[in-house]
């Protein structure tokens, strides 16, 4: 019974929409960066998006980013998502530097973590407001 409940919550439409939206945030960040800096290489997409997405999806569920209470509450999202992203973003920046064998760049780290924090927070607050209208308090 517990396994079935956990599985159905993990696969709820709201969690799936949140995950797809989060993935879109990382993709938009990289595409915008490529356009801003004139980078054409396809590898740049994976070199940047993959560490952020991998760390986010590995750690954020454990830290509460995909809890129904977070997904449905703008207030909970407003404080949880930035804190969770800060931890994930720092780890992702370090992972990216290590995987790509590049030096740590503070300017990139601040812009990447800050901009993606704003994007994730905006997306998640909008999702919480919309989900309450669609799903109610279920």
């Amino acid at each position: 019974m517990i396994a079935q409940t956990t599985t159905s919550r993990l696969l709820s439409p709201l969690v799936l929409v949140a995950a797809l939206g989060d993935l879109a945030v990382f993709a938009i960040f990289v595409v915008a960066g490529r356009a801003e800096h004139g980078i054409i290489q396809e590898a740049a997409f994976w070199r940047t998006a993959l560490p952020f997405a991998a760390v986010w999806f590995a750690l954020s569920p454990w830290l509460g980013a995909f809890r129904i209470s977070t997904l449905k509450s703008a207030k909970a999202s407003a404080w949880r998502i930035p804190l969770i992203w800060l931890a994930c973003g720092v780890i992702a920046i370090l992972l990216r530097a290590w995987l790509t064998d590049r030096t740590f760049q503070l300017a990139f780290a601040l812009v990447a973590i800050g901009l993606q924090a704003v994007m994730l927070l905006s997306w998640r607050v909008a999702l919480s407001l919309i989900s309450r209208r669609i799903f109610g308090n279920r």
Side-chain angles (χ1 to χ4, degrees):
M1 182 73 146
I2 292 173
Q4 183 179 6
T5 303
T6 303
T7 303
S8 64
R9 286 181 63 204
L10 287 175
L11 298 176
S12 78
L14 187 56
V15 172
L16 293 174
V17 168
L20 290 173
D22 293 352
L23 196 55
V25 163
F26 301 125
I28 291 167
F29 171 76
V30 174
V31 169
R34 283 175 55 184
E36 178 68 25
H37 298 294
I39 299 170
I40 308 270
Q41 299 172 341
E42 197 62 37
F45 183 84
W46 297 109
R47 183 175 60 231
T48 303
L50 190 59
F52 289 115
V55 171
W56 177 254
F57 288 114
L59 298 180
S60 69
W62 297 101
L63 299 173
F66 290 94
R67 286 186 190 140
I68 297 300
S69 60
T70 302
L71 295 173
K72 285 189 170 187
S73 169
K75 187 176 180 180
S77 290
W79 70 268
R80 281 190 184 143
I81 297 303
L83 289 176
I84 294 168
W85 174 246
L86 182 60
C88 291
V90 168
I91 294 168
I93 286 287
L94 296 173
L95 178 64
R96 180 182 182 270
W98 179 68
L99 287 174
T100 60
D101 198 26
R102 292 177 174 225
T103 58
F104 174 81
Q105 296 176 342
L106 182 60
F108 174 76
L110 293 175
V111 169
I113 292 171
L115 187 56
Q116 289 179 93
V118 169
M119 293 169 67
L120 278 169
L121 179 59
S122 301
W123 150 243
R124 286 301 198 88
V125 167
L127 177 65
S128 68
L129 296 172
I130 292 167
S131 71
R132 289 188 59 89
R133 287 179 94 35
I134 293 172
F135 298 109
N137 288 326
R138 299 189 267 151

